[in-house]
Amino acid sequence: MRDEHAPLVVAALALAVLPFALDVVGLPLRTSIDVVVFAIACMGLNVLVGYTGLVSFGHGAWFGLGAYAAALSQRHWFSGEIVPPFLFAIIFVAGTALVSGALILRRRGVYFSLLTLALTALLFAIAYRWTELTGGESGLGGVTRATVLNLDLESDHAYYCVVAAIGMAVCYLLWRFHRSPAGSVLVAIRENEERARFVGYATNRYKLIGFVLSATVVAIAGALSVFNHRFASAEPLAVAFSGELVAMVVIGGMRSFLGPALGALFFILFREFLSIWTPQWLFYFGLLFVGFIVFSPTGLVGVAGRIIVPFRKRMIEAAAMAGRRITQDAELPQVYRRSAASAAPVLVARGLVKRFGGIHAVDGIDLTVKDRTLHALIGPNGAGKTTAFNLLSGLFPPDAGTIELEGRSIAGLKPESITAAGVGRSFQITNLFGGLSAEENLRLAVQARSAKRFALWTSAAAVAEVNEETADLIAFLGLGGIERAEAASLSYGGQRLLDMGLAIATRPRILLLDEPLAGLAAAERTRIAALLTTISAEIPVLLVEHDIDRVFQIADHVTVMNEGKVLVDGTVEDARSDAKVREVYIGSGAAALAAKPRVSAAGTTALLVVDKVDTFYGKSHILNAVSLDVREHEIVALLGRNGAGKSTLLKTVIGIASPGAGSIRVAGENTAGFASAEIARRGIGYVPQGRGLFAGMTVADNLALGRLKRMTGSGIHWDDDRIASYFPRLTERWHSPADYLSGGEQQMLAVARALAGDVRVLLLDEPFEGLSPAVTEELFEAFDRLRYDVAMIIVDHHLDLALALSDRTVVLERGAVTWTGPSHALRDDLALRRKMLWM
C-alpha cells in the first residue's frame, strides 16, 4: 500500500479496534459511537480551520441543525424511518450552508469568525425558545432508529457498524477532496489568499465550496448523534459546543488529516474519566487547551512526532538551494508562445489616476505596450510605478482613466478576472505560497488555467497536462533540483525567481514584472536578464527595475515616471540623455560613487565575534562552522551567491535563527541562544531584507517603538535629532504612516529604527535593494558617515558599492567561509573577484 493511502488504513484499523479498546477501559459501546460522531464533526470543521485557514466559532450550528432536521423530519414526515430523515438533514443543511456561506464569506478574518459566532447564538436562541417546534429547554425525544435491510439498528452493535461505515466513507470522501484541485486551492488560500487571486482563482467560490462541504460533514455527525441518543436538544447550538469542537481540532492537530479525529477521542476520554472526579472537568479541559496552544500548536500529532524523533535516524541535508540544477539555453515552453505578433498594442492605459488621501500616487499617466517588446517602467522611489502595476493588475481600482487589454476594458475588474483575461504579474516583495514546495506553487498557478481546476474528486497530482507544463516551466526557470523545497526556505533570489514563475504560469498575454532582479547576485542577474529577453520575444513584458545599466541593455522602450506623472516616454537613448531623468533618478551612477576614496575608521577592539557557528533549518544544514569578527567602527561586507547563507548568518547573530553549535560574543558576552530582544538590548541593530516596518504607524512611532527597550548604554545613543542629521528626509515625513512612504524613505526608516536607542553594531541585509540610483547614492553616503559611530555588517549584491564601502570582506559559499581579506583586494583584482564570487 502506498504511503498516500496510509491515513485510510489507519482510519479503518482504528474503527475496527475502537469499541474493543474502550470496552477494556470500561466504556460502553455508545461512547464508541460518540467518538466516531465527534471525529466526523472535527474532520468536517478541519476543512475550514486546518486546510482553508478560516476559523469558525459557530460550527456547532450545523451539528445542531442536522440533529433537529433529522429528528423533526422523522416525527412529521418519515415516521419510523431512519434513512430518509438522515438524507433530508444532509440536504437541508447543505442548502442552508450555501445561502449562509454566501453571506458570511463576504467578510474575512475576525469578522468571518464573529459572524459564525453570531449565527450559532441566533440559532440557539430560536431553538431554546421555540418550544412548540424544538421542545425548548426540554429538548425533543422519541427519535427511533428503525430497521434497514433486515439490520436492526436499535441494537448498539449494529448501529456502531453503520456509523463506522459512514465514518469511513466520510474519511475517504475528505481524503479525495483534499487531494483534488479544488482542495489544493483551499490550502493555497490558507497560505496566501491574495496570491491565489493573482494566479487566477476566484477564491470566494472555493471558500464557499469548502464552507458547504465542512457544514455538511458536521451535519452528518449531528444526524448520527441524534439517532445515537434518540434525543435532540439546543445544546449543540450553544456557543460552548462550537468552542469544544474547535478545541478538539486544535488539540488533535489541525493541519493533520486524522489529527482532529484523535482530538475527538482525547476529548471523549477526558470527559468520561475526569467527570467522575469533578463536575468542573471542562475548566481543566480549557487549561489543557491553552497548554496545547502555547507548547504544542501542532497538537497531539506534533507531540507524537517529537516523541519518535530520537528513534528515527536524523537526516541532514544541504541548504535548499544547494541541489539546484540549471538547464542551459532552456527555451520558453511552447504553451506560452503565440503563432504571430499582434500589430495592435497589447496594453493601452489612458489618463490613469489614483489618489491615497492627499497623495497623487498616479496622476494621469498614459502607457502603451506593444507585442513582443520589453517595455521598462522606471523612475525614482515614490514615482508611482508599483501603484501603476496595482492598477493594471486589479489590486486597486483606478479613480479615473481607462485600461484596455487587446481592446477589452479591464479597468476596475477583480484581480482574478484580470489574470484570467491575460495579465500576469510578480510582486516587488515576493508573494508566494510559503508553506508549499516550489513545484506545488507552480502547479497551482498552472492548474488555474486547467479545465479541471474545480474538480472535487480527481487527484491534483494526477492531471497529466498540468504536471507536464509544470515540469517544463521548472526546467525553463532553472529550478530543477529544488522543486520539492519549501518556498519559504529558498534563498531570496530563489523566491524572486519562483515569484516570476508564478506570473508566467498564468499564460499571460502581457507580463508585469516588479523588480525581478532585486537582491540577486551578479551571475544570477545576468541569467535572469537573458530569460527576460527570451520571454519578451514571445510575451510582451512591462518591467519595473532599478538596475539601470541592465535595463538600458535589454529594454526596447522606456517610460520614466516621476511624482505620479510620465516624465519621458521613448527609446533607451531618450531616457539616458534626458537631463531631468539624470537629475531625479540616475544621479552620479554606481561607478562614480564606488570610485570615490573612502577613509577607514576601523579600530582594533572586536565588538562582535562569531566562532564556529552551525545553523540548521529543520534538516537543512545552512551554516557550517562559520567564524568572523567585527571590530570597532569597521564595516564588514558579507558576500556570496544566492543561498550561500548570508541572511541566515545575520539572523543567527540577532537571534531569529538559533545556532546549533558555536558561540557568538557581543562585547565579550556569549549571546548564542539568547532571544532576539535580549540581543537587541546588547546594542545590535538589525535591518531585515524587506524592511519589516510597522506599516500603520508613523515615522515617529516606528522610531519610538524601536527605542523603547533599547536605552541600555550598550553603544552610542541615537535620539531623534541624531537620526535626523543622517536622514533629513524623514523629518519631512515625521507624522506620515510608514506605508505611505516611498521605497527609499522606507529603507531609510528601517535603518533609522534599527539605530534608535543605544546601538554599537548594525546588521544590514540588502539595504540597496529596490532603490533608485539617486536614493542608493544618498543612502551610501549615510552609511559612509555612520562608520564613525557604529560597526556594520553589510549584505548586498551591489558588489561595487559593498566593496567600496567596506573595510574587510568575508565570502560565504554553501554556508562556509571561503575567503576573508581586505575589501580593496576584491575591488581592484577582477580575477580574484571572479574566482571568489563565481562571477
Side-chain angles (χ1 to χ4, degrees):
M1 187 70 68
R2 292 182 298 175
D3 289 344
E4 63 182 18
H5 292 89
L8 298 179
V9 176
V10 171
L13 290 175
L15 289 169
V17 170
L18 179 65
F20 302 102
L22 294 192
D23 183 60
V24 169
V25 296
L27 294 177
L29 189 57
R30 190 164 295 182
T31 302
S32 296
I33 297 172
D34 276 341
V35 170
V36 179
V37 166
F38 277 93
I40 292 172
C42 290
M43 292 180 72
L45 175 56
N46 197 43
V47 173
L48 283 187
V49 176
Y51 285 89
T52 316
L54 298 174
V55 180
S56 171
F57 291 140
H59 243 53
W62 311 117
F63 192 99
L65 278 180
Y68 269 124
L72 288 170
S73 63
Q74 186 187 67
R75 167 174 288 195
H76 295 290
W77 300 325
F78 309 112
S79 179
E81 300 284 346
I82 187 172
V83 174
F86 179 70
L87 296 177
F88 172 79
I90 294 173
I91 295 169
F92 174 77
V93 171
T96 306
L98 180 65
V99 176
S100 301
L103 296 173
I104 293 174
L105 288 167
R106 292 174 181 268
R107 294 291 177 262
R108 302 177 185 179
V110 68
Y111 298 105
F112 168 83
S113 300
L114 290 175
L115 284 173
T116 60
L117 189 65
L119 175 65
T120 193
L122 175 65
L123 291 176
F124 175 76
I126 293 172
Y128 196 73
R129 297 180 184 278
W130 197 351
T131 306
E132 294 82 1
L133 180 67
T134 65
E137 60 182 312
S138 300
L140 198 66
V143 179
T144 61
R145 292 184 190 165
T147 299
V148 178
L149 299 177
N150 296 321
L151 186 64
D152 183 9
L153 298 184
E154 291 293 344
S155 163
D156 282 348
H157 287 89
Y159 190 62
Y160 175 80
C161 291
V162 170
V163 171
I166 293 173
M168 192 64 213
V170 168
C171 189
Y172 181 69
L173 180 150
L174 292 176
W175 179 77
R176 291 295 299 249
F177 173 75
H178 289 314
R179 297 168 68 249
S180 72
S184 68
V185 176
L186 293 188
V187 175
I189 291 170
R190 180 193 73 198
E191 293 293 322
N192 188 341
E193 183 174 356
E194 180 185 75
R195 191 48 156 157
R197 298 180 72 194
F198 276 97
V199 295
Y201 291 111
T203 55
N204 281 343
R205 295 181 187 177
Y206 288 92
K207 287 192 292 185
L208 185 57
I209 291 172
F211 187 88
V212 172
L213 176 63
S214 176
T216 303
V217 171
V218 174
I220 291 172
L224 293 174
S225 178
V226 81
F227 289 118
N228 184 36
H229 296 284
R230 299 179 172 86
F231 178 80
S233 74
E235 182 183 352
L237 295 169
V239 172
F241 182 79
S242 293
E244 290 170 7
L245 288 180
V246 173
M248 289 181 230
V249 171
V250 172
I251 286 176
M254 61 182 176
R255 293 195 179 180
S256 166
F257 180 67
L258 291 178
L262 182 61
L265 173 63
F266 181 85
F267 173 82
I268 296 293
L269 294 178
F270 194 94
R271 180 188 69 184
E272 294 295 328
F273 288 112
L274 197 62
S275 61
I276 298 173
W277 302 101
T278 174
Q280 282 77 41
W281 67 271
L282 200 54
F283 168 77
Y284 295 102
F285 182 77
L287 292 178
L288 191 67
F289 174 62
V290 172
F292 269 101
I293 291 177
V294 174
F295 299 108
S296 182
T298 52
L300 290 168
V301 171
V303 172
R306 287 194 291 274
I307 290 173
I308 64 176
V309 161
F311 304 100
R312 285 182 173 178
K313 183 179 179 181
R314 188 181 182 190
M315 302 295 292
I316 298 178
E317 302 173 351
M321 296 293 288
R324 182 181 175 194
R325 300 186 305 271
I326 298 176
T327 304
Q328 299 297 329
D329 302 322
E331 295 184 351
L332 185 69
Q334 186 63 42
V335 71
Y336 302 111
R337 303 182 190 182
R338 295 173 69 89
S339 58
S342 171
V346 174
L347 182 71
V348 178
R350 292 281 181 262
L352 281 188
V353 175
K354 187 64 183 179
R355 302 181 183 90
F356 298 103
I359 300 175
H360 288 61
V362 173
D363 192 8
I365 69 166
D366 295 337
L367 194 64
T368 300
V369 182
K370 297 179 181 179
D371 199 8
R372 296 188 176 180
T373 61
L374 199 157
H375 189 129
L377 182 63
I378 64 174
N381 295 109
K385 306 181 299 298
T386 295
T387 301
F389 263 35
N390 291 337
L391 298 179
L392 296 173
S393 61
L395 186 60
F396 302 136
D399 295 332
T402 63
I403 306 171
E404 292 184 353
L405 180 67
E406 294 191 306
R408 174 192 171 189
S409 176
I410 60 172
L413 295 182
K414 294 179 179 179
E416 57 267 32
S417 299
I418 292 178
T419 301
V423 177
R425 74 162 295 183
S426 68
F427 287 79
Q428 185 178 28
I429 297 174
T430 54
N431 201 357
L432 306 171
F433 306 111
L436 305 182
S437 70
E439 182 181 31
E440 288 169 332
N441 270 259
L442 291 173
R443 183 187 286 121
L444 277 164
V446 170
Q447 178 184 278
R449 289 286 192 172
S450 170
K452 296 183 179 180
R453 61 187 179 278
F454 279 109
L456 304 177
W457 198 252
T458 305
S459 172
V463 182
E465 61 269 22
V466 172
N467 289 339
E468 183 180 347
E469 187 175 333
T470 302
D472 290 344
L473 193 54
I474 286 172
F476 173 70
L477 293 171
L479 292 172
I482 59 171
E483 59 265 46
R484 300 194 185 280
E486 190 176 280
S489 72
L490 299 178
S491 72
Y492 190 71
Q495 291 184 22
R496 294 215 70 88
L497 187 58
L498 182 58
D499 194 39
M500 185 174 77
L502 291 182
I504 298 171
T506 62
R507 299 188 192 176
R509 187 64 190 92
I510 183 171
L511 196 57
L512 313 183
L513 300 180
D514 201 347
E515 300 189 29
L517 304 181
L520 300 184
E524 189 72 352
R525 282 173 178 249
T526 301
R527 197 182 78 83
I528 301 304
L531 281 183
L532 294 179
T533 302
T534 300
I535 294 168
S536 65
E538 299 289 343
I539 306 169
V541 175
L542 182 59
L543 174 72
V544 169
E545 181 54 59
H546 286 303
D547 186 342
I548 196 66
D549 293 330
R550 195 84 60 179
V551 166
F552 286 165
Q553 287 174 9
I554 64 177
D556 301 304
H557 192 95
V558 178
T559 299
V560 185
M561 288 183 65
N562 185 44
E563 296 180 348
K565 299 178 182 293
V566 173
L567 191 62
V568 171
D569 183 58
T571 65
V572 168
E573 191 54 39
D574 292 336
R576 196 198 319 260
S577 60
D578 190 275
K580 186 66 175 177
V581 172
R582 181 165 294 279
E583 176 188 345
V584 302
Y585 181 58
I586 298 177
S588 61
L593 193 64
K596 293 181 181 179
R598 307 285 166 180
V599 178
S600 173
T604 57
T605 304
L607 288 179
L608 173 68
V609 178
V610 177
D611 186 26
K612 296 180 180 178
V613 163
D614 284 6
T615 300
F616 295 83
Y617 287 156
K619 295 183 294 184
S620 298
H621 195 174
I622 308 299
L623 299 182
N624 187 7
V626 170
S627 298
L628 62 83
D629 64 281
V630 183
R631 298 187 284 270
E632 288 181 319
H633 307 296
E634 183 182 27
I635 301 179
V636 174
L638 188 60
L639 304 180
R641 294 190 293 180
N642 292 109
K646 307 180 298 298
S647 294
T648 299
L649 179 54
L650 296 190
K651 291 176 181 177
T652 304
V653 171
I654 196 61
I656 296 173
S658 181
S663 65
I664 302 171
R665 294 189 296 277
V666 178
E669 180 183 13
N670 188 5
T671 61
F674 280 24
S676 297
E678 291 294 324
I679 296 173
R681 286 194 282 270
R682 265 74 175 171
I684 306 295
Y686 173 57
V687 183
Q689 190 172 21
R691 299 154 192 164
L693 299 174
F694 306 116
M697 301 175 67
T698 66
V699 169
D701 290 339
N702 267 269
L703 296 180
L705 195 58
R707 184 180 297 114
L708 189 61
K709 291 289 186 178
R710 296 200 300 161
M711 293 184 286
T712 59
S714 300
I716 290 178
H717 180 67
W718 292 84
D719 57 20
D720 290 343
D721 291 337
R722 191 183 192 97
I723 287 172
S725 69
Y726 281 89
F727 306 107
R729 194 188 297 199
L730 293 181
T731 60
E732 303 169 11
R733 298 287 202 152
W734 205 249
H735 300 293
S736 297
D739 49 340
Y740 280 21
L741 306 184
S742 70
E745 290 166 343
Q746 288 184 0
Q747 188 64 59
M748 292 175 190
L749 177 57
V751 176
R753 188 189 57 186
L755 289 170
D758 297 341
V759 174
R760 50 190 167 198
V761 180
L762 185 62
L763 311 179
L764 299 165
D765 198 352
E766 299 286 354
F768 302 129
E769 178 191 313
L771 303 184
S772 67
V775 173
T776 297
E777 184 174 342
E778 186 177 347
L779 203 56
F780 182 95
E781 296 295 352
F783 292 151
D784 192 36
R785 291 174 55 205
L786 277 172
R787 73 171 74 236
Y788 298 101
D789 293 322
V790 296
M792 284 178 270
I793 299 180
I794 180 170
V795 171
D796 205 281
H797 284 108
H798 287 74
L799 295 182
D800 290 336
L801 297 184
L803 293 173
L805 185 66
S806 59
D807 303 300
R808 192 156 47 97
T809 294
V810 175
V811 176
L812 288 183
E813 175 62 26
R814 297 194 176 186
V817 175
T818 57
W819 189 85
T820 301
S823 295
H824 66 77
L826 289 177
R827 184 187 63 207
D828 300 335
D829 189 341
L830 291 180
L832 178 63
R833 189 191 299 193
R834 291 190 184 97
K835 179 181 178 181
M836 292 295 105
L837 297 174
W838 295 66
M839 291 177 52

